mmCIF file of all heavy atoms in Angstrom:
data_model
loop_
_atom_site.group_PDB
_atom_site.id
_atom_site.type_symbol
_atom_site.label_atom_id
_atom_site.label_comp_id
_atom_site.label_asym_id
_atom_site.label_seq_id
_atom_site.Cartn_x
_atom_site.Cartn_y
_atom_site.Cartn_z
ATOM 1 N N GLY A 786 93.807 109.496 111.603
ATOM 2 C CA GLY A 786 95.081 108.794 111.591
ATOM 3 C C GLY A 786 96.291 109.640 111.182
ATOM 4 O O GLY A 786 97.183 109.142 110.544
ATOM 5 N N ILE A 787 96.272 110.904 111.560
ATOM 6 C CA ILE A 787 97.311 111.846 111.168
ATOM 7 C C ILE A 787 98.374 111.791 112.288
ATOM 8 O O ILE A 787 98.155 112.370 113.382
ATOM 9 C CB ILE A 787 96.758 113.271 110.954
ATOM 10 C CG1 ILE A 787 95.694 113.263 109.902
ATOM 11 C CG2 ILE A 787 97.911 114.206 110.654
ATOM 12 C CD1 ILE A 787 96.173 113.063 108.488
ATOM 13 N N ASP A 788 99.522 111.182 112.028
ATOM 14 C CA ASP A 788 100.557 111.110 113.028
ATOM 15 C C ASP A 788 101.056 112.442 113.573
ATOM 16 O O ASP A 788 101.490 112.582 114.676
ATOM 17 C CB ASP A 788 101.718 110.245 112.547
ATOM 18 C CG ASP A 788 101.358 108.779 112.506
ATOM 19 O OD1 ASP A 788 100.301 108.403 113.002
ATOM 20 O OD2 ASP A 788 102.123 107.968 111.952
ATOM 21 N N ALA A 789 101.047 113.415 112.675
ATOM 22 C CA ALA A 789 101.479 114.764 113.134
ATOM 23 C C ALA A 789 100.688 115.322 114.280
ATOM 24 O O ALA A 789 101.188 116.102 115.117
ATOM 25 C CB ALA A 789 101.480 115.746 111.952
ATOM 26 N N THR A 790 99.411 114.967 114.352
ATOM 27 C CA THR A 790 98.580 115.423 115.516
ATOM 28 C C THR A 790 99.007 114.757 116.761
ATOM 29 O O THR A 790 99.017 115.358 117.866
ATOM 30 C CB THR A 790 97.055 115.170 115.257
ATOM 31 O OG1 THR A 790 96.818 113.789 115.137
ATOM 32 C CG2 THR A 790 96.590 115.897 113.993
ATOM 33 N N ILE A 791 99.389 113.473 116.691
ATOM 34 C CA ILE A 791 99.848 112.762 117.850
ATOM 35 C C ILE A 791 101.178 113.358 118.323
ATOM 36 O O ILE A 791 101.406 113.591 119.539
ATOM 37 C CB ILE A 791 100.029 111.265 117.537
ATOM 38 C CG1 ILE A 791 98.690 110.617 117.157
ATOM 39 C CG2 ILE A 791 100.665 110.496 118.730
ATOM 40 C CD1 ILE A 791 98.763 109.190 116.611
ATOM 41 N N ARG A 792 102.082 113.631 117.359
ATOM 42 C CA ARG A 792 103.329 114.277 117.686
ATOM 43 C C ARG A 792 103.078 115.580 118.434
ATOM 44 O O ARG A 792 103.790 115.885 119.441
ATOM 45 C CB ARG A 792 104.180 114.557 116.456
ATOM 46 C CG ARG A 792 104.708 113.311 115.798
ATOM 47 C CD ARG A 792 105.576 113.644 114.538
ATOM 48 N NE ARG A 792 106.041 112.402 113.980
ATOM 49 C CZ ARG A 792 106.967 111.647 114.529
ATOM 50 N NH1 ARG A 792 107.576 111.991 115.661
ATOM 51 N NH2 ARG A 792 107.331 110.516 113.912
ATOM 52 N N TYR A 793 102.166 116.337 117.939
ATOM 53 C CA TYR A 793 101.843 117.626 118.530
ATOM 54 C C TYR A 793 101.321 117.434 119.971
ATOM 55 O O TYR A 793 101.793 118.112 120.909
ATOM 56 C CB TYR A 793 100.819 118.420 117.681
ATOM 57 C CG TYR A 793 100.407 119.715 118.280
ATOM 58 C CD1 TYR A 793 101.127 120.860 118.051
ATOM 59 C CD2 TYR A 793 99.218 119.838 119.047
ATOM 60 C CE1 TYR A 793 100.754 122.065 118.567
ATOM 61 C CE2 TYR A 793 98.854 121.041 119.614
ATOM 62 C CZ TYR A 793 99.644 122.162 119.363
ATOM 63 O OH TYR A 793 99.242 123.363 119.907
ATOM 64 N N GLY A 794 100.361 116.575 120.143
ATOM 65 C CA GLY A 794 99.745 116.351 121.442
ATOM 66 C C GLY A 794 100.673 115.780 122.439
ATOM 67 O O GLY A 794 100.515 115.976 123.659
ATOM 68 N N ARG A 795 101.699 115.018 122.029
ATOM 69 C CA ARG A 795 102.645 114.297 122.923
ATOM 70 C C ARG A 795 103.980 114.995 122.939
ATOM 71 O O ARG A 795 104.894 114.491 123.610
ATOM 72 C CB ARG A 795 102.720 112.833 122.533
ATOM 73 C CG ARG A 795 101.466 112.003 122.532
ATOM 74 C CD ARG A 795 101.118 111.574 123.950
ATOM 75 N NE ARG A 795 102.015 110.528 124.342
ATOM 76 C CZ ARG A 795 101.929 109.826 125.423
ATOM 77 N NH1 ARG A 795 100.922 110.039 126.246
ATOM 78 N NH2 ARG A 795 102.830 108.876 125.783
ATOM 79 N N ASN A 796 104.108 116.042 122.156
ATOM 80 C CA ASN A 796 105.387 116.783 122.046
ATOM 81 C C ASN A 796 106.533 115.931 121.608
ATOM 82 O O ASN A 796 107.611 115.901 122.222
ATOM 83 C CB ASN A 796 105.698 117.506 123.418
ATOM 84 C CG ASN A 796 106.717 118.640 123.222
ATOM 85 O OD1 ASN A 796 106.794 119.194 122.115
ATOM 86 N ND2 ASN A 796 107.435 118.943 124.219
ATOM 87 N N VAL A 797 106.260 115.083 120.560
ATOM 88 C CA VAL A 797 107.312 114.230 120.009
ATOM 89 C C VAL A 797 107.859 114.878 118.743
ATOM 90 O O VAL A 797 107.118 115.082 117.800
ATOM 91 C CB VAL A 797 106.728 112.845 119.689
ATOM 92 C CG1 VAL A 797 107.789 111.939 119.040
ATOM 93 C CG2 VAL A 797 106.171 112.196 120.934
ATOM 94 N N PRO A 798 109.174 115.187 118.692
ATOM 95 C CA PRO A 798 109.709 115.766 117.459
ATOM 96 C C PRO A 798 109.647 114.835 116.282
ATOM 97 O O PRO A 798 109.609 113.624 116.425
ATOM 98 C CB PRO A 798 111.187 116.046 117.847
ATOM 99 C CG PRO A 798 111.354 115.646 119.261
ATOM 100 C CD PRO A 798 110.140 114.978 119.748
ATOM 101 N N GLY A 799 109.632 115.438 115.098
ATOM 102 C CA GLY A 799 109.567 114.679 113.892
ATOM 103 C C GLY A 799 110.778 113.798 113.640
ATOM 104 O O GLY A 799 110.757 112.887 112.809
ATOM 105 N N THR A 800 111.852 114.073 114.359
ATOM 106 C CA THR A 800 113.096 113.275 114.230
ATOM 107 C C THR A 800 113.012 111.967 115.055
ATOM 108 O O THR A 800 113.885 111.142 114.938
ATOM 109 C CB THR A 800 114.259 114.110 114.684
ATOM 110 O OG1 THR A 800 114.046 114.588 115.989
ATOM 111 C CG2 THR A 800 114.544 115.220 113.728
ATOM 112 N N GLU A 801 112.011 111.850 115.881
ATOM 113 C CA GLU A 801 111.882 110.676 116.715
ATOM 114 C C GLU A 801 110.708 109.828 116.287
ATOM 115 O O GLU A 801 109.644 110.336 115.839
ATOM 116 C CB GLU A 801 111.653 111.068 118.212
ATOM 117 C CG GLU A 801 112.825 111.650 118.916
ATOM 118 C CD GLU A 801 112.486 112.086 120.301
ATOM 119 O OE1 GLU A 801 111.534 111.489 120.907
ATOM 120 O OE2 GLU A 801 113.162 112.971 120.866
ATOM 121 N N ALA A 802 110.849 108.529 116.396
ATOM 122 C CA ALA A 802 109.717 107.599 116.098
ATOM 123 C C ALA A 802 108.647 107.659 117.193
ATOM 124 O O ALA A 802 108.971 107.892 118.357
ATOM 125 C CB ALA A 802 110.298 106.128 116.032
ATOM 126 N N LEU A 803 107.423 107.554 116.723
ATOM 127 C CA LEU A 803 106.309 107.467 117.741
ATOM 128 C C LEU A 803 106.404 106.101 118.400
ATOM 129 O O LEU A 803 106.588 105.095 117.770
ATOM 130 C CB LEU A 803 104.972 107.696 117.038
ATOM 131 C CG LEU A 803 104.620 109.066 116.560
ATOM 132 C CD1 LEU A 803 103.373 109.066 115.679
ATOM 133 C CD2 LEU A 803 104.512 110.040 117.737
ATOM 134 N N LYS A 804 106.199 106.130 119.731
ATOM 135 C CA LYS A 804 106.200 104.880 120.478
ATOM 136 C C LYS A 804 104.761 104.322 120.574
ATOM 137 O O LYS A 804 103.808 105.060 120.375
ATOM 138 C CB LYS A 804 106.696 105.103 121.907
ATOM 139 C CG LYS A 804 108.141 105.610 121.980
ATOM 140 C CD LYS A 804 108.548 105.856 123.426
ATOM 141 C CE LYS A 804 109.890 106.469 123.528
ATOM 142 N NZ LYS A 804 109.845 107.936 123.448
ATOM 143 N N GLN A 805 104.628 103.030 120.911
ATOM 144 C CA GLN A 805 103.273 102.458 121.079
ATOM 145 C C GLN A 805 102.528 103.207 122.142
ATOM 146 O O GLN A 805 101.313 103.401 121.962
ATOM 147 C CB GLN A 805 103.473 101.007 121.503
ATOM 148 C CG GLN A 805 102.207 100.169 121.265
ATOM 149 C CD GLN A 805 101.654 100.244 119.876
ATOM 150 O OE1 GLN A 805 102.378 100.108 118.912
ATOM 151 N NE2 GLN A 805 100.352 100.441 119.746
ATOM 152 N N SER A 806 103.137 103.697 123.153
ATOM 153 C CA SER A 806 102.488 104.488 124.228
ATOM 154 C C SER A 806 101.896 105.795 123.651
ATOM 155 O O SER A 806 100.866 106.239 124.019
ATOM 156 C CB SER A 806 103.379 104.809 125.391
ATOM 157 O OG SER A 806 104.520 105.519 124.948
ATOM 158 N N ASP A 807 102.584 106.422 122.646
ATOM 159 C CA ASP A 807 102.066 107.593 122.000
ATOM 160 C C ASP A 807 100.820 107.249 121.154
ATOM 161 O O ASP A 807 99.843 107.950 121.200
ATOM 162 C CB ASP A 807 103.147 108.194 121.049
ATOM 163 C CG ASP A 807 104.333 108.684 121.730
ATOM 164 O OD1 ASP A 807 104.251 109.323 122.795
ATOM 165 O OD2 ASP A 807 105.495 108.424 121.208
ATOM 166 N N LEU A 808 100.882 106.164 120.432
ATOM 167 C CA LEU A 808 99.799 105.743 119.569
ATOM 168 C C LEU A 808 98.544 105.330 120.335
ATOM 169 O O LEU A 808 97.460 105.453 119.864
ATOM 170 C CB LEU A 808 100.236 104.596 118.654
ATOM 171 C CG LEU A 808 101.414 104.912 117.757
ATOM 172 C CD1 LEU A 808 101.807 103.672 116.894
ATOM 173 C CD2 LEU A 808 101.126 106.074 116.813
ATOM 174 N N ALA A 809 98.779 104.819 121.551
ATOM 175 C CA ALA A 809 97.645 104.371 122.399
ATOM 176 C C ALA A 809 97.142 105.440 123.370
ATOM 177 O O ALA A 809 96.222 105.207 124.113
ATOM 178 C CB ALA A 809 98.097 103.131 123.181
ATOM 179 N N SER A 810 97.835 106.603 123.399
ATOM 180 C CA SER A 810 97.508 107.629 124.395
ATOM 181 C C SER A 810 96.095 108.160 124.245
ATOM 182 O O SER A 810 95.566 108.292 123.139
ATOM 183 C CB SER A 810 98.487 108.789 124.352
ATOM 184 O OG SER A 810 98.218 109.575 123.238
ATOM 185 N N ASP A 811 95.457 108.487 125.336
ATOM 186 C CA ASP A 811 94.129 109.084 125.325
ATOM 187 C C ASP A 811 94.210 110.573 125.255
ATOM 188 O O ASP A 811 93.559 111.300 125.986
ATOM 189 C CB ASP A 811 93.373 108.621 126.621
ATOM 190 C CG ASP A 811 91.897 109.068 126.576
ATOM 191 O OD1 ASP A 811 91.354 109.155 125.462
ATOM 192 O OD2 ASP A 811 91.377 109.337 127.632
ATOM 193 N N ASN A 812 95.014 111.010 124.361
ATOM 194 C CA ASN A 812 95.255 112.474 124.157
ATOM 195 C C ASN A 812 94.247 113.052 123.178
ATOM 196 O O ASN A 812 93.926 112.366 122.169
ATOM 197 C CB ASN A 812 96.751 112.583 123.601
ATOM 198 C CG ASN A 812 97.199 113.986 123.437
ATOM 199 O OD1 ASN A 812 96.610 114.774 122.658
ATOM 200 N ND2 ASN A 812 98.233 114.329 124.156
ATOM 201 N N PRO A 813 93.700 114.271 123.392
ATOM 202 C CA PRO A 813 92.722 114.756 122.440
ATOM 203 C C PRO A 813 93.236 114.940 121.062
ATOM 204 O O PRO A 813 92.428 115.122 120.089
ATOM 205 C CB PRO A 813 92.311 116.107 123.079
ATOM 206 C CG PRO A 813 93.227 116.350 124.158
ATOM 207 C CD PRO A 813 93.963 115.116 124.523
ATOM 208 N N TYR A 814 94.586 114.909 120.880
ATOM 209 C CA TYR A 814 95.159 115.037 119.569
ATOM 210 C C TYR A 814 95.437 113.709 118.884
ATOM 211 O O TYR A 814 96.027 113.622 117.846
ATOM 212 C CB TYR A 814 96.463 115.887 119.622
ATOM 213 C CG TYR A 814 96.172 117.324 119.970
ATOM 214 C CD1 TYR A 814 96.072 117.743 121.296
ATOM 215 C CD2 TYR A 814 95.909 118.252 118.962
ATOM 216 C CE1 TYR A 814 95.723 119.064 121.577
ATOM 217 C CE2 TYR A 814 95.577 119.523 119.215
ATOM 218 C CZ TYR A 814 95.508 119.978 120.588
ATOM 219 O OH TYR A 814 95.278 121.239 120.823
ATOM 220 N N ASN A 815 95.064 112.630 119.493
ATOM 221 C CA ASN A 815 95.276 111.259 118.973
ATOM 222 C C ASN A 815 94.249 110.966 117.949
ATOM 223 O O ASN A 815 93.176 110.371 118.236
ATOM 224 C CB ASN A 815 95.335 110.202 120.045
ATOM 225 C CG ASN A 815 95.827 108.886 119.520
ATOM 226 O OD1 ASN A 815 95.784 108.629 118.279
ATOM 227 N ND2 ASN A 815 96.233 107.970 120.393
ATOM 228 N N THR A 816 94.541 111.326 116.651
ATOM 229 C CA THR A 816 93.520 111.102 115.596
ATOM 230 C C THR A 816 93.557 109.662 115.067
ATOM 231 O O THR A 816 92.848 109.433 114.104
ATOM 232 C CB THR A 816 93.775 112.139 114.463
ATOM 233 O OG1 THR A 816 95.136 111.976 113.979
ATOM 234 C CG2 THR A 816 93.573 113.592 114.934
ATOM 235 N N ARG A 817 94.386 108.836 115.639
ATOM 236 C CA ARG A 817 94.272 107.403 115.353
ATOM 237 C C ARG A 817 93.099 106.772 116.096
ATOM 238 O O ARG A 817 92.494 105.848 115.631
ATOM 239 C CB ARG A 817 95.568 106.672 115.652
ATOM 240 C CG ARG A 817 96.631 106.894 114.624
ATOM 241 C CD ARG A 817 97.658 105.797 114.721
ATOM 242 N NE ARG A 817 98.818 106.044 113.821
ATOM 243 C CZ ARG A 817 99.712 105.146 113.602
ATOM 244 N NH1 ARG A 817 99.624 103.985 114.170
ATOM 245 N NH2 ARG A 817 100.727 105.368 112.776
ATOM 246 N N LEU A 818 92.854 107.298 117.334
ATOM 247 C CA LEU A 818 91.811 106.720 118.154
ATOM 248 C C LEU A 818 90.560 107.587 118.151
ATOM 249 O O LEU A 818 89.487 107.062 118.339
ATOM 250 C CB LEU A 818 92.289 106.595 119.570
ATOM 251 C CG LEU A 818 93.541 105.676 119.828
ATOM 252 C CD1 LEU A 818 93.886 105.629 121.264
ATOM 253 C CD2 LEU A 818 93.215 104.265 119.267
ATOM 254 N N ARG A 819 90.669 108.888 118.046
ATOM 255 C CA ARG A 819 89.526 109.784 118.098
ATOM 256 C C ARG A 819 89.044 110.218 116.718
ATOM 257 O O ARG A 819 89.861 110.812 115.996
ATOM 258 C CB ARG A 819 89.916 111.022 118.972
ATOM 259 C CG ARG A 819 90.197 110.692 120.393
ATOM 260 C CD ARG A 819 90.713 111.951 121.101
ATOM 261 N NE ARG A 819 91.013 111.728 122.467
ATOM 262 C CZ ARG A 819 90.143 112.098 123.475
ATOM 263 N NH1 ARG A 819 89.058 112.689 123.156
ATOM 264 N NH2 ARG A 819 90.490 111.858 124.664
ATOM 265 N N PRO A 820 87.832 110.024 116.389
ATOM 266 C CA PRO A 820 87.315 110.506 115.114
ATOM 267 C C PRO A 820 87.210 112.020 115.154
ATOM 268 O O PRO A 820 87.125 112.609 116.206
ATOM 269 C CB PRO A 820 85.942 109.820 114.980
ATOM 270 C CG PRO A 820 85.528 109.515 116.358
ATOM 271 C CD PRO A 820 86.762 109.295 117.175
ATOM 272 N N GLY A 821 87.112 112.641 114.010
ATOM 273 C CA GLY A 821 86.922 114.078 113.901
ATOM 274 C C GLY A 821 88.263 114.820 113.934
ATOM 275 O O GLY A 821 89.335 114.236 114.004
ATOM 276 N N LEU A 822 88.138 116.083 113.872
ATOM 277 C CA LEU A 822 89.340 116.990 113.867
ATOM 278 C C LEU A 822 89.944 117.132 115.286
ATOM 279 O O LEU A 822 89.209 117.019 116.261
ATOM 280 C CB LEU A 822 89.001 118.352 113.327
ATOM 281 C CG LEU A 822 88.513 118.425 111.901
ATOM 282 C CD1 LEU A 822 87.989 119.856 111.595
ATOM 283 C CD2 LEU A 822 89.676 118.050 110.980
ATOM 284 N N PRO A 823 91.221 117.375 115.387
ATOM 285 C CA PRO A 823 91.817 117.626 116.667
ATOM 286 C C PRO A 823 91.230 118.950 117.222
ATOM 287 O O PRO A 823 90.656 119.764 116.436
ATOM 288 C CB PRO A 823 93.304 117.757 116.414
ATOM 289 C CG PRO A 823 93.430 118.063 114.977
ATOM 290 C CD PRO A 823 92.216 117.431 114.301
ATOM 291 N N PRO A 824 91.380 119.218 118.499
ATOM 292 C CA PRO A 824 90.724 120.401 119.074
ATOM 293 C C PRO A 824 91.238 121.755 118.601
ATOM 294 O O PRO A 824 90.530 122.709 118.583
ATOM 295 C CB PRO A 824 91.050 120.314 120.601
ATOM 296 C CG PRO A 824 92.022 119.131 120.730
ATOM 297 C CD PRO A 824 92.061 118.385 119.502
ATOM 298 N N THR A 825 92.486 121.795 118.099
ATOM 299 C CA THR A 825 93.039 123.089 117.613
ATOM 300 C C THR A 825 93.977 122.784 116.455
ATOM 301 O O THR A 825 94.380 121.610 116.196
ATOM 302 C CB THR A 825 93.889 123.771 118.651
ATOM 303 O OG1 THR A 825 95.039 122.940 118.935
ATOM 304 C CG2 THR A 825 93.170 124.031 119.999
ATOM 305 N N PRO A 826 94.393 123.772 115.643
ATOM 306 C CA PRO A 826 95.409 123.592 114.673
ATOM 307 C C PRO A 826 96.717 123.063 115.375
ATOM 308 O O PRO A 826 96.914 123.391 116.526
ATOM 309 C CB PRO A 826 95.605 124.974 114.053
ATOM 310 C CG PRO A 826 94.247 125.687 114.250
ATOM 311 C CD PRO A 826 93.805 125.156 115.629
ATOM 312 N N ILE A 827 97.519 122.442 114.607
ATOM 313 C CA ILE A 827 98.777 121.877 115.165
ATOM 314 C C ILE A 827 100.060 122.610 114.638
ATOM 315 O O ILE A 827 101.080 122.246 115.043
ATOM 316 C CB ILE A 827 98.896 120.380 114.927
ATOM 317 C CG1 ILE A 827 98.903 120.087 113.414
ATOM 318 C CG2 ILE A 827 97.788 119.641 115.636
ATOM 319 C CD1 ILE A 827 99.387 118.674 113.119
ATOM 320 N N ALA A 828 99.857 123.560 113.786
ATOM 321 C CA ALA A 828 100.965 124.306 113.173
ATOM 322 C C ALA A 828 100.394 125.610 112.574
ATOM 323 O O ALA A 828 99.156 125.742 112.428
ATOM 324 C CB ALA A 828 101.637 123.500 112.091
ATOM 325 N N ASN A 829 101.291 126.491 112.125
ATOM 326 C CA ASN A 829 100.883 127.664 111.398
ATOM 327 C C ASN A 829 100.988 127.331 109.915
ATOM 328 O O ASN A 829 102.082 127.270 109.349
ATOM 329 C CB ASN A 829 101.825 128.787 111.817
ATOM 330 C CG ASN A 829 101.379 130.108 111.187
ATOM 331 O OD1 ASN A 829 100.359 130.204 110.620
ATOM 332 N ND2 ASN A 829 102.279 131.082 111.231
ATOM 333 N N PRO A 830 99.868 127.117 109.225
ATOM 334 C CA PRO A 830 99.908 126.703 107.806
ATOM 335 C C PRO A 830 100.244 127.847 106.875
ATOM 336 O O PRO A 830 99.869 128.997 107.121
ATOM 337 C CB PRO A 830 98.513 126.145 107.551
ATOM 338 C CG PRO A 830 97.665 126.917 108.507
ATOM 339 C CD PRO A 830 98.470 127.183 109.723
ATOM 340 N N GLY A 831 100.891 127.531 105.768
ATOM 341 C CA GLY A 831 101.113 128.492 104.718
ATOM 342 C C GLY A 831 99.908 128.571 103.824
ATOM 343 O O GLY A 831 98.964 127.732 103.924
ATOM 344 N N LEU A 832 99.970 129.518 102.945
ATOM 345 C CA LEU A 832 98.826 129.756 102.057
ATOM 346 C C LEU A 832 98.492 128.557 101.158
ATOM 347 O O LEU A 832 97.302 128.183 100.974
ATOM 348 C CB LEU A 832 99.088 130.995 101.113
ATOM 349 C CG LEU A 832 97.984 131.400 100.146
ATOM 350 C CD1 LEU A 832 96.671 131.706 100.838
ATOM 351 C CD2 LEU A 832 98.439 132.521 99.328
#
């Protein structure tokens, strides 16, 4: 249920609200619908 993964998979900037279509998408980065980790990192993390 990490919205940042949905934003990454659907290319939705953090300044925009996620739409119902984003939340319902069958995207591999939709961690609201798919259990487990997304297929790749979604950002370059700091230490």
Side-chain angles (χ1 to χ4, degrees):
I787 304 287
D788 286 351
T790 64
I791 298 170
R792 290 183 180 287
Y793 178 85
R795 300 278 289 185
N796 200 25
V797 177
T800 54
E801 290 179 23
L803 288 170
K804 298 180 185 87
Q805 197 56 44
S806 59
D807 297 318
L808 301 177
S810 74
D811 187 30
N812 185 297
Y814 291 89
N815 189 342
T816 58
R817 284 200 183 189
L818 298 180
R819 294 173 179 260
L822 295 171
T825 66
I827 61 165
N829 184 12
L832 181 58

